[in-house]
Amino acid sequence: MNLKNSYIQGKDSVGSVVGTGGGTFTNVRSNAILVAEEKAGGIIGLRDAKVATLTNCTYSGTVSATGNNVGGLIGLVNGKDHTLTIQNSTFAGKVHTTADQAGGLIGGLGGYSDVVITGCKATGTVAADNMKAGGFIGTIAVA
């Protein structure tokens, strides 16, 4: 799937492919511009499904938000006993929030989620005006 030259605007749980959910995403390419308040991600806004897998995915667009949990691939990963796998995927865009919790791959990681990240790279820019910005993950909340 290639999503090119798109503009997506929303309030909460905004992603270029999925706003809220999970599933299997393979060979997804997006350079969409996303504008949101919070929980915004280049591919998925809020991952709250039991299982989600991203393989060979690339986001090279811009995610801008005024709230928390903003990520190059996923805005917020949340849920008890959930599994997320990100393999051979790349963030090469721009993530910015005027709040905090911004990450190149994942903005915020909460709950008891099991996350496996292998063979990924983040070469884009990440900025959080308040605090909690990371190249891969903006913040990890241990429940």
Side-chain angles (χ1 to χ4, degrees), residues 39-134:
K39 297 182 199 101
I43 307 292
I44 303 171
L46 170 62
R47 196 295 325 231
D48 69 348
K50 276 295 223 187
V51 177
T53 302
L54 280 73
T55 304
N56 299 321
C57 295
T58 299
Y59 180 73
S60 58
T62 299
V63 181
S64 298
T66 57
N68 298 336
N69 301 308
V70 184
L73 298 180
I74 303 172
L76 175 63
V77 174
N78 204 11
K80 185 176 180 179
D81 299 324
H82 290 194
T83 301
L84 170 66
T85 303
I86 305 175
Q87 302 170 337
N88 304 318
S89 295
T90 301
F91 162 66
K94 186 176 194 178
V95 169
H96 176 255
T97 179
T98 57
D100 63 20
Q101 299 173 3
L105 299 183
I106 301 169
L109 177 59
Y112 294 89
S113 298
D114 290 328
V115 177
V116 177
I117 299 173
T118 57
C120 295
K121 58 185 173 180
T123 60
T125 60
V126 177
D129 290 356
N130 286 339
M131 62 178 156
K132 298 178 186 169

Side-chain angles (χ1 to χ4, degrees), residues 13 26 34 42 51 88 103 143:
S13 302
T26 304
L34 303 175
V51 177
N88 304 318

